[in-house]
Amino acid sequence: MTWTDMTANWAVWYRRLQTRFPNLDDGAMPFSKVDRGGFEAYLAETHNLSLTEAQEEIDDFLFVESLILENNDDHEAA
């Protein structure tokens, strides 16, 4: 899954992001989905991460979520 895939259905994915990153503020989110770099900087600031760590966290989130989606698709096809 890519950032673009995630932002296409932001409301659903934002809830999942909040589960992983509990310090996210709903008021800050409207601008975030259009600017990954800005979101990563915001994530770093609100979760005591370096910018590199925040970037890695988002990469990890997207990777794990894509595995979950793939696994769900495999189960539906079986």
Side-chain angles (χ1 to χ4, degrees):
M1 182 168 63
T2 66
W3 180 260
T4 303
D5 296 332
M6 185 175 72
T7 59
N9 197 356
W10 186 248
V12 170
W13 293 109
Y14 178 68
R15 284 183 185 75
R16 294 184 70 87
L17 283 165
Q18 280 184 307
T19 300
R20 184 157 176 182
F21 307 107
N23 296 337
L24 297 178
D25 177 20
D26 291 341
M29 290 307 99
F31 76 89
S32 298
K33 71 178 187 176
V34 296
D35 178 12
R36 180 175 171 166
F39 180 77
E40 291 167 344
Y42 172 75
L43 184 66
E45 180 181 315
T46 58
H47 288 80
N48 197 30
L49 302 168
S50 71
L51 185 54
T52 299
E53 290 169 330
Q55 292 165 336
E56 290 171 353
E57 287 289 335
I58 293 301
D59 287 340
D60 288 348
F61 177 83
L62 293 171
F63 178 71
V64 168
E65 293 299 328
S66 67
L67 292 177
I68 292 168
L69 288 173
E70 184 178 305
N71 187 43
N72 289 342
D73 288 345
D74 288 347
H75 284 295
E76 289 175 8

